[in-house]
Each structure stands twice: as structure tokens, then as C-alpha cells.
Amino acid sequence: MKYGVMKQKQTVFRLHTFRWKSSGQWLKLFRYLWLSPVITASVIALQSTGFLQLLDWATFDQFVRWRPLEPPDSRIVIVTIDEPDLKKLGQWPIPDAILAQLIEKIKLQKPIAIGLDIYRNLPVQPGHEDLIKVFKTTPNLVGVEKVVEDQNRASIEPPPILKDKNQVGAADLILDADGKIRRALLSIKPPERPTILNLGATVALLYLQTQGIIPKMTANQQVKLGKAEFTRFTENDGGYVRADDDGYQILLNYRGSQDNFHKISMTQVLNNEIPPDFFHDKIVFIGPFAQSLNDLFFTPYTSNLFSINDRTPGVIIHANIASQLISSAIDGRTLIHVWSDRTEWFWVFLWSTVGSSLGWIYGGTRWTVYWLILASGGLIIISYSAFISGWWLPLVSPLLALVSSGMVVTAYIANVERQDRKMVMTLFQRYVTPKIAETIWQNREDLLQKGQILGQKMIATVLFTDIKGFSTIAERMEPAMLMTWLNEYMNAMANIVFEHDGVVDKFMGDAIMAVFGVPIPRNSTQEIAQDATSAVSCALAMGEKLRVLNQHWQQQNQPLISMRIGIATGVVVTGSLGSSQRMEYTTLGDSVNIAARLESYDKSFYSEGTCRILMNEETHQQINGKFPTRYVGRVQLYGRQQLINIYQAIND
């Protein structure tokens, strides 16, 4: 009879690691990190469809609203035309005479530039001649025209006099798909016409000329203006996907809410209620503020697109454009920069890898969610800090990649873990207690590799038990009755092994092989001694149980039996043995053979007892007098050349 082999169904093991313990686990990490490029590619593909664009814009808007409010730009003043002004005038458009008077009063304080954000392509009597005269005598006045015809408005011609004097700027603004303005259109090239600068850009250049600053084109096609270099917006910059990038556009770096400029009403100017030098050496914008005129636009500061009161007048947007150009050129105020597509893709991949790593390290536990939340918060903080410094980094796509990778790896690990746990538990649950099975599961990375349990050398205690005279009993009993009777015996003995934290290695007919101290190696002499003690205690309990069974069987007129037990402590090797079609968990070693030979030693010795228990010298030393024993002698066991000392555990 071969010993040390435990038969089982075909089993394929897969190893999963969740703790940083050795360099080998770095290799195992790549089992899950392959998901990172897959998820990265999926997120980038999703982003390229424009599906994430609104979320990217919403993130941009939130960062703009979170930014600290900058001080008002003291170089810019806005003359507002609001509802009280209209009520006093009693009409709209403003008569040319009133507009001429307004401009003349502003001119008295000698501003550097005046931006008139009011269409005046047709005369509005009375006073048209007065306005023509003002246009002719005000070289720093810039009027507006609407260059591009769109679904909201047709193109609108500029005042003819100002057009002839080349004192016209475009009033056109670029609206994103959600109706908000996040970009500044600095210039536009109409068909068969010269390039036209935006109103804000035109007055800003007039101001900068007085400071000796003129625009220059750099070698990499950027526009250098003083301390700033402006990079032209392209269709996929930032969170945009295939945006309209006609004309020269930049991302608009708003200075703040509409109240972040010095303002004065038209009525105050006409009534000479102007502080001294209020307009002196400044840029002055004139434009409507009144809600009824509907020259209002949604911006990043608009938190609710359904609120008509939360909109910004167009003249404020032109003032922001002028302020951005001037403050960047003179003060070095930051612009809004973006990464190249490849850099953004790498950023997405990096966070996807972070998510995969967190899912791998903490997969299947609540810590995965905690760390993903923490990592998401870190990503948001990094993105917001970069935005404060003038960089609009992608947030939605890396955040999606981070969370998706973490959750996908966690789900993948959890699914495979369920399969592995089922395999491991199916393998061991019939042979060990739930306590040992759980220990095996917790230490699976030390046990399993490449689909099998690695062979491990360890010290364990092996127990063999056999029924005396079983062949004679089997001849006399009906097979069905024999099977029932034997199962009752086996079940009782196996439960005793479990109760003593042993592993039932194998059932062999009427024999049982149990091992104490496997499959987790023992690391201390105390643990090895405890295994030997458990084995002897288990053998004694088996003898007591057999006496109870015999009493029960005697009442049922069934055979009464006695048993022999051999126990040996020593070095064994445990692991998987077999082929890919049939894998068996095996305990091998000289101690296995000694235990088997002790069980079958001299069957006439102590034949009158119910349970004979023999042990080797090593077991006797490990139990250290915890049980009564007697020395049997120094004997030569069958099939062995060396003599060994054997002892008997007294259980009478």
C-alpha cells in the first residue's frame, strides 16, 4: 500500500497576491496592470467622441468659480447703460446726440482708448451730425461690427466713419455648445476682407502701444506680447473635442465676476458726477447692462443655465479680454495653458495605473474604495492647484480611468478569488476544520504557484489508524451494511481529527492517515511540540470514541472492533503531485512510512486492548511527559534497516 497520497478531483490553482512581500510579487502585479492600457484606450476613445466634453467644461467652470477673486484691473473702466438709464432716456437705441455728449465728457479726462460696444451702423436722430463729428475727432475711439452671421444675429456693419479710419473691432464672441463663453476670439478673417481684431484686443493694443509694447510673431508661431506668449487655441485643446477653432482664439482667463471692474453709469457721466481722473490714462468701455437689451451671455461664473439673471453683459467679456492681454503683457499674469494630446494620454494612463495598483493591493476589501476616494481627492487637488498656476489639466478622463481601473481590477480579483476560494475550500474542507481551511486561504500565496501546491519541507506529526481484523468483518457483512457501518466509524474518527486541528490526508479502506502541522509550515519548536501533543491527544480521543461506538454497536448486534494507531514526528514534504489531468495533494517522507509501520507493527502486541497507540522517539520527546507512556523497546520496523525506539501511549 502506498502512503502519503491524497486523491482528489482535478484542481487548477491560480495564485493572487495582495500584500507586498517579495520581489516575485512585482511580477504577479502585471497580471492586473495589463488592464491599465486597455482602460486608458477605452477612456480616450470615449473622450474622443465628445461624451465627456460637458463634464470637462463643468470642471473648468467650477475651478474658475473656486479661484480667489483677483483685484479689479485699475486700467479699465466701464460706463454702463442699465435700466435706470433707459428709463430716463425713454428710448433705445440711444440718440446720437446723447451718445456724442457721453463720449465728449469721457474725452475730457483723456483716456488712452474708448471701446464703444454699441452698434451704430445707422443714424439715430437727433444729433447724427454731432456723433459724426465726435467720430472724426476721436482717434482713440473704437467702434464695433458683427462680422460673422449666425443663427442669433445677422452681420452688422460698423459706423462708416470709423471703418474708414480703421477704428473698428469685432463684437463677435464664441459660444460653446452649452451656451457659455470660455474662449476669446482675438481676431477673425472674413472672406475677401482683411483680418479684424476683437474689440477688447483692439483697445488693449492701443493701450500697450503707449507702453512701448507691440505684438511679435515667434519662431513657433506664437504671438509674443510683452512678457506673455499667446498660443493659438486648437480644436482639441483642454476638454474640447473638435471645437471650431477658426480665427485666432485663446482660452479666456476671466479676472472675476462682472463686478470686478470699476464702473460708472451713463447718467452719472452725463450729469458730470465723475470722480477726478476716473478715466485718465485708462481704457473706457461703453456698453449696455440692462436686462431688457439682452446683450447678456453665460460664462463660467453662471452656475445655473436656467437663470436669466445670472448672465454677464457682453461689454464685461470684452473688458476681460482686454484685461487678459494687458495684464499678461505688462504684469506677467498667467495665461491658461493646456497639454498636448500625448501628454494628456500619458496622464490618463498614469492614473489608470494608480487605480489598477490600488485595486491589486487592496482588491476585495473596503480599503479599495477608501484609497480610490483618497486618490480621487488627490487628483482633484492636483488639477485645481495646476489650474491656479495657469494649467488646465484633464480631470474627468483620468478620474474615470482611476476609478474604472480600480473597480475593474477589484471586480476581476474578487471574481477570480471566489473561484480560487471555491477551489481551495473544495480541496481542503473535507480534510480540515474551517479554522485550518481559513488559515490555508489566508496563506495561499505561500502555498500555491503555477496551478499547484509547491512542495515544502517541514516538520509534522503523522498519524495512521487501522481496524484490527477488518478483512474478516468485511467477509461476514453485506456490502451495503458494511458501507454504512464503516462510514459511521470513519465519520467519527475524522471529526476527532478535526477537533484536534489535524488534516485528514487520506481514507484508505478501513485506514485513516492524518497529519498535524500541514500545510502551513511551523516556525517554532513550540508549534512542533503542539502538533505532536495534538496527534497523541487525538489518538487517545479516538480510543475513547471507539469504546462508545462499540457499546452502541453491541446494542445493535453489529461487530465490535479494536484499532491500532501509529504516530511519528519528523521531516515531511507536502505538495501537489500528478499531472494536469489529475492532481493530488501529497505528504511524503520517512516519518510517513514510520507512522504506517508503527500502526502495523507486531499485530500480536497488546492485542487485548481496544486501541493500541505506538509512537516514535521524536513524538515522545515532543509531548514531554504530557501523557502516560511506556517504553516498548528498540526495534527494527518492516522495510527499514535502522533500529528506532518506540513508545506506547497508555489509554487504559
Side-chain angles (χ1 to χ4, degrees):
M1 181 181 294
K2 295 182 180 179
Y3 296 94
V5 179
M6 181 177 68
K7 298 180 179 179
Q8 61 180 48
K9 295 182 179 179
Q10 175 188 352
T11 307
V12 178
F13 293 101
R14 282 176 288 182
L15 172 61
H16 302 282
T17 58
F18 300 87
R19 295 173 297 187
W20 303 90
K21 296 178 66 175
S22 66
S23 59
Q25 294 204 16
W26 284 98
L27 297 176
K28 299 166 189 175
L29 170 61
F30 289 99
R31 289 193 58 184
Y32 307 108
L33 290 189
W34 67 268
L35 290 168
S36 294
V38 174
I39 292 177
T40 298
S42 300
V43 170
I44 292 173
L46 180 65
Q47 184 184 33
S48 67
T49 65
F51 187 79
L52 304 179
Q53 187 170 235
L54 288 176
L55 294 175
D56 284 319
W57 290 347
T59 302
F60 178 91
D61 297 347
Q62 189 61 61
F63 284 174
V64 168
R65 292 193 291 269
W66 281 349
R67 288 190 307 181
L69 187 66
E70 297 183 55
D73 193 336
S74 60
R75 294 164 293 218
I76 297 176
V77 176
I78 299 176
V79 177
T80 66
I81 303 172
D82 50 26
E83 295 295 348
D85 297 321
L86 294 180
K87 185 176 181 181
K88 186 171 182 178
L89 285 174
Q91 71 175 86
W92 181 264
I94 300 173
D96 288 348
I98 300 297
L99 191 56
Q101 183 183 358
L102 177 65
I103 296 172
E104 286 290 352
K105 288 183 177 293
I106 294 172
K107 285 172 58 179
L108 292 176
Q109 290 196 0
K110 297 182 179 180
I112 292 178
I114 302 173
L116 181 63
D117 189 23
I118 299 175
Y119 293 116
R120 193 55 54 146
N121 57 321
L122 298 174
V124 181
Q125 298 293 357
H128 184 61
E129 293 300 323
D130 294 336
L131 185 59
I132 294 297
K133 181 179 178 181
V134 171
F135 284 169
K136 289 181 178 180
T137 58
T138 311
N140 60 345
L141 175 67
V142 180
V144 292
E145 67 170 308
K146 190 172 191 320
V147 178
V148 179
E149 181 177 349
D150 55 35
Q151 59 183 0
N152 297 320
R153 294 180 180 177
S155 59
I156 301 175
E157 291 291 326
I161 298 299
L162 295 181
K163 181 178 181 181
D164 293 340
K165 294 168 62 66
N166 197 28
Q167 294 176 217
V168 176
D172 299 79
L173 298 172
I174 297 182
L175 276 65
D176 289 331
D178 61 351
K180 290 187 177 182
I181 296 177
R182 301 180 180 89
R183 292 171 284 161
L185 180 62
L186 299 185
S187 67
I188 187 170
K189 176 66 173 67
E192 301 179 358
R193 290 181 57 190
T195 298
I196 301 174
L197 293 179
N198 170 271
L199 172 62
T202 303
V203 297
L205 291 179
L206 289 176
Y207 185 93
L208 292 173
Q209 284 175 6
T210 66
Q211 308 297 315
I213 299 174
I214 58 174
K216 298 177 182 178
M217 186 67 71
T218 64
N220 55 357
Q221 299 303 308
Q222 292 181 322
V223 175
K224 182 171 179 58
L225 197 59
K227 296 180 179 180
E229 286 190 8
F230 296 88
T231 302
R232 183 173 181 173
F233 172 86
T234 58
E235 61 178 357
N236 293 319
D237 279 357
Y240 286 89
V241 179
R242 295 183 294 278
D244 179 5
D245 58 359
D246 288 343
Y248 199 102
Q249 304 176 30
I250 62 172
L251 291 170
L252 182 50
N253 190 10
Y254 284 91
R255 195 170 194 90
S257 64
Q258 67 183 48
D259 295 325
N260 207 20
F261 289 97
H262 296 296
K263 297 182 290 296
I264 188 170
S265 71
M266 181 182 70
T267 300
Q268 288 177 295
V269 175
L270 294 175
N271 292 339
N272 296 316
E273 300 172 2
I274 311 171
D277 295 331
F278 191 68
F279 299 129
H280 182 66
D281 284 344
K282 294 183 175 66
I283 292 175
V284 180
F285 282 97
I286 305 171
F289 261 58
Q291 292 279 340
S292 59
L293 300 181
N294 202 33
D295 187 28
L296 303 168
F297 300 90
F298 295 113
T299 69
Y301 293 99
T302 306
S303 58
N304 185 359
L305 292 176
F306 299 99
S307 173
I308 62 174
N309 297 320
D310 196 14
R311 294 181 293 171
T312 300
V315 66
I316 290 290
I317 296 174
H318 291 299
N320 270 285
I321 295 173
S323 176
Q324 180 171 348
L325 297 178
I326 294 171
S327 60
S328 298
I330 296 177
D331 306 328
R333 179 172 176 254
T334 184
L335 301 169
I336 298 179
H337 305 281
V338 297
W339 279 341
S340 65
D341 288 343
R342 290 186 178 182
T343 305
E344 290 187 355
W345 296 345
F346 175 77
W347 186 243
V348 174
F349 172 73
L350 177 64
W351 285 98
S352 177
T353 303
V354 171
S356 297
S357 300
L358 292 175
W360 173 73
I361 297 171
Y362 300 103
T365 70
R366 65 180 184 277
W367 289 105
T368 306
V369 177
Y370 296 157
W371 277 102
L372 284 177
I373 293 174
L374 186 62
S376 299
L379 175 57
I380 293 172
I381 291 173
I382 292 172
S383 299
Y384 176 66
S385 300
F387 192 80
I388 294 295
S389 302
W391 287 90
W392 181 18
L393 307 187
L395 174 60
V396 177
S397 50
L399 186 61
L400 179 60
L402 168 69
V403 176
S404 298
S405 295
M407 299 310 294
V408 167
V409 170
T410 298
Y412 178 73
I413 289 176
N415 179 61
V416 177
E417 181 177 315
R418 281 193 297 270
Q419 298 177 20
D420 284 358
R421 189 180 184 93
K422 182 179 179 181
M423 290 180 182
V424 172
M425 293 308 177
T426 299
L427 173 62
F428 285 107
Q429 66 184 354
R430 294 180 298 171
Y431 303 97
V432 300
T433 63
K435 175 183 174 182
I436 296 180
E438 186 61 32
T439 302
I440 293 170
W441 175 248
Q442 295 300 328
N443 291 272
R444 61 196 179 280
E445 65 269 21
D446 297 327
L447 295 174
L448 311 178
Q449 186 172 343
K450 297 181 180 179
Q452 58 182 312
I453 300 177
L454 292 178
Q456 294 189 85
K457 188 176 181 180
M458 62 187 74
I459 297 177
T461 299
V462 183
L463 181 151
F464 267 87
T465 178
D466 197 8
I467 297 175
K468 180 181 178 182
F470 176 74
S471 298
T472 303
I473 296 174
E475 290 177 359
R476 297 174 181 177
M477 295 183 69
E478 292 292 331
M481 183 179 297
L482 175 65
M483 186 65 70
T484 302
W485 173 81
L486 185 58
N487 277 331
E488 184 178 5
Y489 165 81
M490 291 292 190
N491 185 62
M493 297 303 139
N495 287 337
I496 294 174
V497 173
F498 296 156
E499 291 170 2
H500 290 79
D501 293 333
V503 175
V504 175
D505 190 287
K506 187 179 181 183
F507 295 105
M508 302 165 289
D510 62 318
I512 300 174
M513 173 183 170
V515 186
F516 297 80
V518 298
I520 309 302
R522 302 311 193 189
N523 298 317
S524 67
T525 55
Q526 291 82 1
E527 291 177 322
I528 295 171
Q530 181 58 49
D531 291 334
T533 301
S534 297
V536 176
S537 179
C538 176
L540 293 171
M542 285 178 167
E544 291 296 328
K545 184 63 176 179
L546 183 57
R547 292 186 182 93
V548 174
L549 288 174
N550 277 333
Q551 293 174 4
H552 171 68
W553 290 334
Q554 187 175 23
Q555 295 173 1
Q556 295 183 346
N557 200 26
Q558 291 185 351
L560 306 182
I561 60 173
S562 60
M563 61 191 299
R564 296 183 300 269
I565 297 177
I567 303 173
T569 301
V571 176
V572 298
V573 176
T574 63
S576 295
L577 185 66
S579 67
S580 60
Q581 301 301 316
R582 184 181 181 86
M583 192 68 67
E584 298 179 344
Y585 180 76
T586 303
T587 302
L588 302 173
D590 189 46
S591 298
V592 177
N593 294 327
I594 291 175
R597 299 299 184 259
L598 286 173
E599 176 272 314
S600 61
Y601 169 74
D602 191 1
K603 297 181 180 180
S604 64
F605 174 73
Y606 197 68
S607 58
E608 68 279 5
T610 304
C611 178
R612 187 193 74 180
I613 304 171
L614 298 180
M615 67 186 76
N616 69 346
E617 176 75 31
E618 289 77 5
T619 303
H620 186 260
Q621 292 177 356
Q622 294 296 339
I623 63 176
N624 195 25
K626 294 185 178 66
F627 308 96
T629 62
R630 66 166 61 99
Y631 178 66
V632 175
R634 187 169 180 82
V635 302
Q636 182 179 8
L637 298 178
Y638 177 76
R640 294 179 56 84
Q641 295 181 355
Q642 295 181 350
L643 300 177
I644 67 169
N645 293 322
I646 64 173
Y647 298 82
Q648 179 184 7
I650 301 173
N651 61 342
D652 293 336

